[in-house]
Amino acid sequence: MTTSATTHNGLRLIPFHGLRYVPERVGSLAAVTSPPYDVVVRPDGVDYLESADPHNIVRLILPQADTPDARNDQAAQTLHDWLAKGVLSEDPEPALYVYEQRVGRLLQRGIIGALALSPADAGIVLPHEDVMPHVVTDRAGLMRATSANLEPLLLTYRGGDVSTGAAEVVERTARRAPLLATTTEDGVEHRLWAVTDPAEQDAITADLRHRQALIADGHHRWATYLRLQQEHASPTPWDFGLVLLVDTVRYPLQVRAIHRMLHRLPLADALAAVEGSFRVRPVAGPLPLALEALGDAAERGNAFLLSGDGTFHLVTDPDRELLDRTVRRDRPAAWRRLDATVLHATLLDTLWGIPDTPDQITYIHDAAATVAMAERHGGTAVLLHPVREEVVRSLARQGVTMPRKSTSFGPKPATGLVLRSLDRPDSD
């Protein structure tokens, strides 16, 4: 069937022929997977993953070359070679995929499929963060060159009765023998099943067509999907994008903060610039103890933890007049109170005068890695406390986006378990 992207009132998820690693052609499935591209700490993380297996997926999502065009060409050639050599192969039947992650007491299950694209004003897929144009350009070049969706976005939705519809199919499928199972180095167990039965696929799609999704992780890739869709006359496979949909009624996600490392601002200068406008006080380490102090302070208002020389400093209680002067007033109160809002409008833009560019700011998901990088480079680590999911969803429903890289939902899907080629039509 064709991949027409006709208008629907809700989510429209369709099966596709997944591209997957052939286990016999790689060292192990765990060794060829990677975190999402923006979680990999470069260059150390890329080097480590490349050394894990010559076919690690990082060679596709973060190719290493001197120019963007060379990187994209390299990724395209690598994908072509792996397909030709049987390292990757296409599943014979179009499928929706049930994906499970388990670590300790945490269990998450969702559905991977090709989702019809829709603009934010359609109210079907809700973004909650702004994006950086240069990142979208980078991802678009890579996706255009490889003609593939290399990793799924993470989207959440609020499901219904677990005994019917998509939830029932997910739970029933998870009782079967999986298509693949592996445990990655971080201790997370991953299992994947293919849902190829048309009746089960129909039950999933019928349930989802009335639902709305929130982008939990992958705003830049979603923006990339939309940009590339505009380059192709519909109907084409570019009208759809690879996603993982998780019902957070059944499987609530964890929400973490994304931290900032300021390359050209020494910690002493950062602290001196905020004196008099914020309350600044040292707190005891090590890092886990300092993060506890940050969490306690965040319950009472805006709070940031700064580090970079082995010490930790809480920055809290911003001057109200300064906030009124620096934070835009045409947004809801919940947005104006966000730590990320105050960080960008009041600290970065006003007191520190730091532009939001890659040579100035690195966004890192792990607090310890942020602190370590700041200490290596003589910069400042700015650590934030997570935003509650209900705040994120409420703002998204109002059509209000948060500052870029405000949240990190998880667990994130492993990259490399299933890919989607854009060189052939999906099933609709």
Side-chain angles (χ1 to χ4, degrees), residues 156-399:
T156 74
Y157 71 100
R158 308 292 289 175
D161 187 349
V162 297
S163 65
T164 62
E168 190 276 331
V169 174
V170 167
E171 300 308 311
R172 173 154 38 94
T173 301
R175 293 193 290 269
R176 303 170 184 162
L179 193 65
L180 65 84
T182 190
T183 301
T184 45
E185 191 177 65
D186 56 5
V188 179
E189 301 173 22
H190 306 263
R191 297 201 295 171
L192 189 75
W193 295 261
V195 178
T196 57
D197 180 85
E200 292 183 329
Q201 293 177 354
D202 288 346
I204 292 173
T205 55
D207 185 10
L208 294 177
R209 70 166 56 104
H210 305 293
R211 309 211 182 270
Q212 178 187 64
L214 174 74
I215 300 177
D217 185 69
H219 284 82
H220 290 92
R221 283 166 285 165
W222 183 259
T224 300
Y225 288 168
L226 293 173
R227 177 183 293 189
L228 294 176
Q229 181 189 32
Q230 294 176 355
E231 298 178 4
H232 297 79
S234 295
T236 73
W238 298 87
D239 293 326
F240 297 79
L242 185 64
V243 304
L244 166 65
L245 279 164
V246 174
D247 177 0
T248 52
V249 171
R250 178 75 172 133
Y251 299 107
L253 269 64
Q254 298 176 327
V255 187
R256 296 186 174 92
I258 301 177
H259 312 292
R260 279 75 167 153
M261 203 292 282
L262 312 182
H263 288 269
R264 302 180 185 179
L265 183 68
L267 177 62
D269 293 348
L271 295 172
V274 300
E275 286 283 0
S277 299
F278 286 76
R279 180 189 180 196
V280 180
R281 59 188 173 95
V283 293
L287 178 59
L289 190 62
L291 288 173
E292 287 185 17
L294 173 63
D296 291 341
E299 294 295 323
R300 299 186 294 274
N302 296 121
F304 310 93
L305 183 66
L306 272 56
S307 186
D309 63 358
T311 63
F312 300 97
H313 305 263
L314 267 181
V315 175
T316 61
D317 302 293
D319 178 77
R320 291 293 118 187
E321 186 278 330
L322 177 64
L323 292 186
D324 288 342
R325 180 162 48 86
T326 57
V327 176
R328 57 190 296 180
R329 301 184 183 187
D330 60 343
R331 297 294 178 93
W335 183 91
R336 291 172 53 82
R337 291 193 299 264
L338 289 171
D339 287 337
T341 297
V342 174
L343 171 60
H344 282 263
T346 307
L347 288 170
L348 290 170
D349 291 351
T350 304
L351 297 181
W352 291 334
I354 295 177
D356 192 358
T357 56
D359 62 314
Q360 295 276 357
I361 304 174
T362 295
Y363 292 82
I364 306 176
H365 292 72
D366 181 74
T370 310
V371 171
M373 182 178 288
E375 291 177 351
R376 286 200 306 271
H377 294 277
T380 296
V382 183
L383 308 182
L384 289 83
H385 190 67
V387 182
R388 297 191 312 277
E389 181 181 356
E390 56 266 31
V391 174
V392 176
R393 192 176 295 275
S394 174
L395 288 173
R397 283 177 172 158
Q398 297 175 62

Side-chain angles (χ1 to χ4, degrees), residues 21-33 52-53 55-56 181-183:
Y21 280 100
V22 177
E24 296 77 16
R25 301 301 304 272
V26 298
S28 71
L29 289 175
V32 296
T33 64
D53 189 283
H55 301 109
N56 189 282
T182 190
T183 301

